[in-house]
Amino acid sequence: MRVTLALLDSASLYFRSFYALPESMTAPDGTPVNAVRGFADTVARILTDRRPARLVACLDADWRPQFRVELLPSYKAHRVADEAANAEEVPDTLTPQVPIILDLLAAVGLATAEAPGYEADDVIGALTAREAEDPVEVITGDRDLFQLVRAKPTPASVIYVGKGWAKAEVLGPAEIAERYGVPKAEAGPAYAAMAALRGDPSDGLPGVAGIGEKTAAKLITQFGSVAALLAAAKSGSRELPLKMRLKLTSAEDYLAVAPKVVEVAVDAPVSLSGADTVPAKVKHPKRLAELADRWNLGSSVKRLVAAIEGGK
């Protein structure tokens, strides 16, 4: 049996389920359960298609950690503003579904993990960093986690589901290196450095003005890190054209903190709800039946049980 540790970026997966499925999927009391059903179906597909021996659903204890905000106040700031602006206009029908998802995971016997004050990305990064026995598969729709690919001490790859599970891509160091033009041997760290240079408006990361993805990849390939690149720019290195040196030095304050914001915190104090071994049978069948009945999860729960217990 192939022993693999699957790490789920849970929020990424249930957000995608929420927007992919109609809110007309409801419980008898009218509560939307589209995210719950979609998430359960995704986990069933992961268990069936990838057959991991171990699995952890990683959670956001804080989606905008204070340590990142202190380094870069713009970090996800627009999302806070958007929430405030839309609070009275947009009904929040996803948040009430998250506890149901957690109840469902507990009932079937799948582990969850979180770290106070940290994002799920950090939880995934910490669990990947500490894994010294089995290959790791990170399942996410977030490109930020491409930084975790590696060849050793155990292989770590990302199963990217940005276009849905049917079009999932398995990306390791070779694939990241080919796609982004970064060195294969350091594909993960190089991707993180490239992302810091390039920036990401969706996360409030401005990047360096005038430096896009391809240029960022070339610079990191040449200099190895953001710190080394900035040092070269400040020293007037002739390896960099004057215009490029000016772009980099004008963004010095940003570049001093960006890598710490972008890189996952591999030292996050992660705690697990229980053993990460995928159970051979559902742990609490009675509780699972109650949840299925209360929230109208019928076929989704059946598929999840079949995936766990080896059915078709």
Side-chain angles (χ1 to χ4, degrees):
M1 180 178 180
R2 185 175 69 112
V3 179
T4 302
L5 169 61
L7 300 176
L8 277 54
D9 183 0
S10 300
S12 172
L13 298 179
Y14 62 63
F15 264 100
R16 290 178 182 279
S17 296
F18 177 75
Y19 288 109
L21 299 174
E23 289 186 44
S24 57
M25 289 184 172
T26 60
D29 66 359
T31 301
V33 291
N34 53 328
V36 182
R37 297 194 65 159
F39 182 83
D41 287 341
T42 300
V43 174
R45 288 294 300 274
I46 291 167
L47 291 170
T48 300
D49 295 352
R50 304 306 300 177
R51 287 293 171 192
R54 301 160 60 200
L55 182 146
V56 181
C58 301
L59 310 173
D60 279 322
D62 188 341
W63 63 271
R64 190 173 181 246
Q66 187 60 31
F67 75 91
R68 288 195 170 96
V69 175
E70 289 175 356
L71 290 168
L72 189 68
S74 66
Y75 183 66
K76 296 186 178 178
H78 65 290
R79 300 190 194 180
V80 178
D82 289 346
E83 285 183 2
N86 297 328
E88 296 181 2
E89 301 175 20
V90 181
D92 185 356
T93 52
L94 173 58
T95 300
Q97 298 188 56
V98 177
I100 305 172
I101 289 172
L102 298 181
D103 285 344
L104 187 64
L105 290 169
V108 297
L110 294 174
T112 59
E114 62 184 332
Y118 292 85
E119 300 177 63
D121 285 12
D122 301 310
V123 175
I124 293 169
L127 291 176
T128 300
R130 72 168 67 162
E131 183 56 43
E133 295 183 6
D134 300 325
V136 177
E137 292 187 342
V138 175
I139 299 150
T140 182
D142 187 349
R143 294 190 302 167
D144 292 345
L145 290 170
F146 289 175
Q147 65 181 279
L148 296 179
V149 299
R150 71 183 189 199
K152 58 183 182 181
T154 58
S157 57
V158 170
I159 299 180
Y160 182 62
V161 294
K163 297 179 181 179
W165 185 258
K167 297 182 179 179
E169 302 172 88
V170 181
L171 306 173
E175 290 77 16
I176 296 299
E178 181 178 359
R179 178 173 295 191
Y180 294 101
V182 295
K184 178 181 175 182
E186 295 293 330
Y191 180 87
M194 180 202 73
L197 272 182
R198 176 199 64 201
D200 185 349
S202 69
D203 280 341
L205 296 166
V208 178
I211 295 183
E213 189 165 273
K214 290 184 179 179
T215 301
K218 288 179 181 178
L219 290 170
I220 293 303
T221 299
Q222 182 178 357
F223 290 91
S225 70
V226 171
L229 175 61
L230 182 58
K234 291 171 67 178
S235 69
S237 170
R238 294 194 177 186
E239 293 184 79
L240 291 166
L242 176 59
K243 286 185 178 180
M244 182 59 70
R245 295 202 302 267
L246 292 174
K247 287 177 182 179
L248 294 166
T249 53
S250 66
E252 180 178 357
D253 290 345
Y254 166 75
L255 292 176
V257 300
K260 297 177 184 177
V261 175
V262 171
E263 293 168 6
V264 296
V266 296
D267 58 348
V270 177
S271 59
L272 275 74
S273 64
D276 63 16
T277 304
V278 175
K281 292 185 177 181
V282 168
K283 187 173 183 180
H284 302 291
K286 183 178 179 180
R287 174 60 176 155
L288 183 61
E290 291 171 351
L291 291 170
D293 183 60
R294 179 180 177 183
W295 300 113
N296 188 29
L297 305 177
S299 58
S300 294
V301 162
K302 288 179 181 178
R303 283 190 285 270
L304 184 56
V305 171
I308 289 174
E309 299 186 352
K312 300 296 183 182

